[in-house]
Amino acid sequence: QVQLVESGGGSVQAGGSLRLSCAASGFRDSPYCMGWFRQAPGKEREGVAAVQENGITTYAESVKGRFTASKDNDKNTLHLKMDSLKPEDTALYYCAAAWAWWGSSCSFRENEYNYWGQGTQVTVSA
């Protein structure tokens, strides 16, 4: 059974950094896409970073230049390094994985991600 477990969330001041991790288990073949999503109170969930199996990564415009996603294939772990954090980055951050994908480039089409973690809270104070 596939499991995704996020960790690394916390509270920081604006300008600070956090590193999220998503430990994936319960599968033999690596997922084609893994993604980070977030949902702020009162807002819809949005994509943050989508990482293809070959390492190609797509970022949301709002986090480009500040967030870096990476995969450790040996440990089946997805990371999200978040720098220069802003109060508007406050949200519950989710990890997701997809084995089948329509098209070649991973993106933020939520309905194509088969498995989701429970989320880890990130709070950025001004």
Side-chain angles (χ1 to χ4, degrees):
Q1 183 177 355
V2 174
Q3 284 192 322
L4 303 174
V5 180
E6 302 96 336
S7 62
S11 297
V12 296
Q13 290 189 327
S17 299
L18 282 173
R19 185 176 187 246
L20 306 183
S21 296
C22 171
S25 62
F27 53 85
R28 185 174 59 185
D29 298 323
S30 296
Y32 187 79
C33 300
M34 292 193 75
W36 285 104
F37 292 78
R38 67 185 181 186
Q39 187 167 21
K43 294 188 177 182
E44 292 189 355
R45 189 162 56 189
E46 63 176 359
V48 175
V51 185
Q52 204 163 315
E53 188 178 17
N54 61 7
I56 295 176
T57 304
T58 300
Y59 294 97
E61 285 295 326
S62 59
V63 306
K64 276 185 181 178
R66 301 188 298 121
F67 290 11
T68 304
S70 61
K71 282 177 55 181
D72 183 337
N73 290 323
D74 290 339
K75 297 182 180 179
N76 288 327
T77 302
L78 181 70
H79 300 288
L80 184 68
K81 181 66 164 41
M82 305 184 295
D83 296 314
S84 302
L85 282 162
K86 304 175 181 180
E88 51 263 44
D89 294 318
T90 295
L92 188 61
Y93 283 71
Y94 296 93
C95 171
W99 273 261
W101 195 262
W102 185 256
S104 58
S105 300
C106 297
S107 66
F108 304 133
R109 298 195 299 265
E110 293 189 26
N111 61 329
E112 296 196 43
Y113 285 89
N114 312 94
Y115 296 92
W116 294 78
Q118 293 300 306
T120 185
Q121 178 67 37
V122 171
T123 302
V124 184
S125 57

